[in-house]
Amino acid sequence: MVVLVACGSTGGGTAELAGWIAEELRDAGFEVRLSAAADVSGAGRYEALVLGSAVYAAGWHPDVRRFVRRHASDFAGKPVWLFSSGPLDTSADDGPLPPGHHAEEALHELGAREHVTFGGRMTAEARGWLGFLARRMARTGRAGDFRNPLRVRGWARDVAAQIRASSPA
Ligand SMILES: Cc1cc2nc3c(=O)[nH]c(=O)nc-3n(C[C@H](O)[C@H](O)[C@H](O)COP(=O)(O)O)c2cc1C
């Protein structure tokens, strides 16, 4: 069973989170390919997919949206899970958040089993290169790391259990 973990990330926070997920799936015994969504080729060979995106201005990363358009048919009938990484507060850990519109579209296009939102991270450097909006968000006290490795890794182990349960013995 070869699992693809792919994501779109601008500042690296979501990419690191995808790495934690890939690690858990590997520890559970799966062969895993971890890739930026823009770099995936030959997607048809993968038997399951975990796809994630950073959220900017309520939208998914353009590479992830392109991935969904290009590869929906490669994952037809295969198990798919989605995640977003965004909120710069603890709201993602306080209870389930509804998927944004791109996640909603992807749930439908990919026939995904689930979408989950994890907290995000905004570094001091992001203030420099993401411009005015990022600087304003930082000034309002939202810069920081709101990712929760224990929750992310727990979710990944649950995904692993579901993949195992759905694959032939
Ligand atoms: C300019 C800007 C806009 C953002 N807009 C949103 C948003 O609409 N919704 C949200 O949940 N998070 C938003 N965020 C937070 C990012 O999603 C968060 O920083 C995320 O961890 C970035 O992931 P990355 O490091 O992989 O790019 C925004 C961050 C910045 C800097």
Side-chain angles (χ1 to χ4, degrees):
M1 167 72 77
V2 190
V3 182
L4 174 64
V5 178
C7 77
S9 173
T10 301
T14 311
E16 194 178 11
L17 204 146
W20 300 337
I21 293 169
E23 251 175 51
E24 291 297 331
L25 292 172
R26 282 193 187 111
D27 286 354
F30 296 107
E31 190 179 335
V32 178
R33 167 104 165 107
L34 174 63
S35 176
D39 297 339
V40 173
S41 59
R45 70 176 181 274
Y46 299 108
E47 292 154 281
L49 168 67
V50 180
L51 179 66
S53 182
V55 179
Y56 286 94
W60 262 11
H61 194 290
D63 292 345
V64 181
R65 292 158 62 189
R66 211 168 293 121
F67 179 98
V68 173
R69 285 197 300 276
R70 283 194 185 147
H71 296 299
S73 60
D74 291 320
F75 291 97
K78 299 176 185 175
V80 174
W81 288 263
L82 306 175
F83 68 91
S84 298
S85 175
L88 296 170
D89 55 30
T90 59
S91 59
D93 288 347
D94 293 343
L97 293 173
H101 62 289
H102 292 139
E104 189 76 66
E105 275 169 22
L107 274 164
H108 176 72
E109 294 291 319
L110 293 166
R113 296 185 173 199
E114 185 188 9
H115 167 270
V116 65
T117 299
F118 298 123
R121 176 190 73 173
M122 186 160 66
T123 59
E125 299 86 70
R127 297 176 63 179
W129 49 262
L130 280 171
F132 167 75
L133 194 51
R135 285 197 294 276
R136 200 176 63 178
M137 291 174 81
R139 266 205 303 275
T140 56
R142 296 212 277 169
D145 192 348
F146 297 91
R147 298 169 307 160
N148 178 340
L150 287 179
R151 180 169 166 239
V152 174
R153 288 180 180 279
W155 181 76
R157 286 194 294 274
D158 187 48
V159 167
Q162 289 185 59
I163 296 174
R164 192 171 296 109
S166 67
S167 53

